[in-house]
Amino acid sequence: GAGVSQSPSNKVTEKGKDVELRCDPISGHTALYWYRQRLGQGLEFLIYFQGNSAPDKSGLPSDRFSAERTGESVSTLTIQRTQQEDSAVYLCASSLVSGLRENGYTFGSGTRLTVV
Amino acid sequence: DAKTTQPPSMDCAEGRAANLPCNHSTISGNEYVYWYRQIHSQGPQYIIHGLKNNETNEMASLIITEDRKSSTLILPHATLRDTAVYYCIVRANDMRFGAGTRLTVKP
């Protein structure tokens, strides 16, 4: 597609339920990031995928959070047993990394998650 | 650890140049400097990036000091729509954002 697509755009869930957020990167983009942004705060790095390399999971806040990506396609971020502090906008970004030439990242519009 | 330091906020008069500084004193030789901005309620938007030469595009100019320890993003004629949080990022294998600079363009 023309841009990074995230779904759903909004999600309201009950505390304790599991949620799955989806990111469709720009076709051919090898790098994919997930970020979390709580209301009024900055972007918090969660996880980074680069091609077939092992993902950098160092930003995941707890073992309730996990993410998967198959090859260079869709990624899903799963939050198990959601808590109210998980309420935030979850942003996905992708980029084409080609050799030494660094390209900018394109962000999706995010998924606004509200845990009630 | 975002590896960059930016002032938390700045004001600029509409029509004037906005000069946003960023310190990145621990930058490595192969790390690029990226600038993004985030307008309220939207996803971050790429502005410009550079390695050591100054760069210019339709949105902004990027001035990188010779020692690469700091840079300045220049919006030559700021408009009200440029009001946003501006992030300076040193790219390594991941892209971690700091708190950025909240730029307010005033009429």
Side-chain angles (χ1 to χ4, degrees):
Chain A
V4 177
S5 177
Q6 291 187 247
S7 61
S9 55
N10 283 283
K11 175 72 175 179
V12 179
T13 190
E14 292 181 352
K15 178 181 173 180
K17 294 287 181 70
D18 297 351
V19 294
E20 191 172 277
L21 312 180
R22 176 186 171 106
C23 173
D24 280 276
I26 293 173
S27 178
H29 278 195
T30 59
L32 187 148
Y33 292 82
W34 282 98
Y35 293 89
R36 177 171 70 179
Q37 188 169 35
R38 292 189 169 117
L39 185 63
Q41 298 188 20
L43 291 153
E44 178 184 4
F45 167 78
L46 296 178
I47 189 169
Y48 164 61
F49 295 92
Q50 173 55 54
N52 293 318
S53 301
D56 178 354
K57 302 181 180 181
S58 60
L60 295 178
S62 76
D63 59 7
R64 296 188 295 106
F65 287 72
S66 63
E68 299 291 333
R69 187 185 188 197
T70 304
E72 298 177 359
S73 62
V74 170
S75 176
T76 56
L77 176 69
T78 302
I79 309 172
Q80 295 178 311
R81 304 181 302 281
T82 53
Q83 304 294 315
Q84 288 185 328
E85 64 261 28
D86 299 334
S87 296
V89 175
Y90 289 82
L91 288 157
C92 174
S94 74
S95 173
L96 175 63
V97 179
S98 176
L100 293 177
R101 179 170 175 79
E102 298 274 352
N103 295 282
Y105 283 72
T106 302
F107 280 81
S109 298
T111 294
R112 183 176 298 278
L113 176 66
T114 304
V115 182
V116 297
Chain B
D1 180 8
K3 302 176 65 172
T4 63
T5 305
Q6 299 177 254
S9 64
M10 290 182 64
D11 291 342
C12 178
E14 187 179 18
R16 298 287 188 139
N19 298 288
L20 295 103
C22 179
N23 288 322
H24 31 79
S25 58
T26 61
I27 192 170
S28 299
N30 62 347
E31 290 180 323
Y32 283 70
V33 180
Y34 278 81
W35 283 83
Y36 286 77
R37 73 179 182 185
Q38 188 173 26
I39 295 170
H40 182 61
S41 298
Q42 298 181 22
Q45 175 191 23
Y46 166 81
I47 301 173
I48 198 167
H49 73 281
L51 183 62
K52 54 182 179 181
N53 297 323
N54 297 338
E55 303 286 346
T56 296
N57 63 20
E58 66 277 5
M59 290 183 68
S61 294
L62 174 61
I63 309 298
I64 303 173
T65 58
E66 192 169 342
D67 63 7
R68 303 213 321 124
K69 293 185 177 182
S70 66
S71 61
T72 301
L73 179 75
I74 301 172
L75 308 178
H77 305 287
T79 70
L80 298 178
R81 287 183 294 181
D82 291 324
T83 292
V85 178
Y86 287 77
Y87 296 98
C88 167
I89 301 148
V90 169
R91 175 136 195 298
N93 286 328
D94 58 62
M95 197 165 66
R96 299 182 188 243
F97 288 74
T101 296
R102 182 172 298 278
L103 175 69
T104 303
V105 181
K106 298 185 174 182

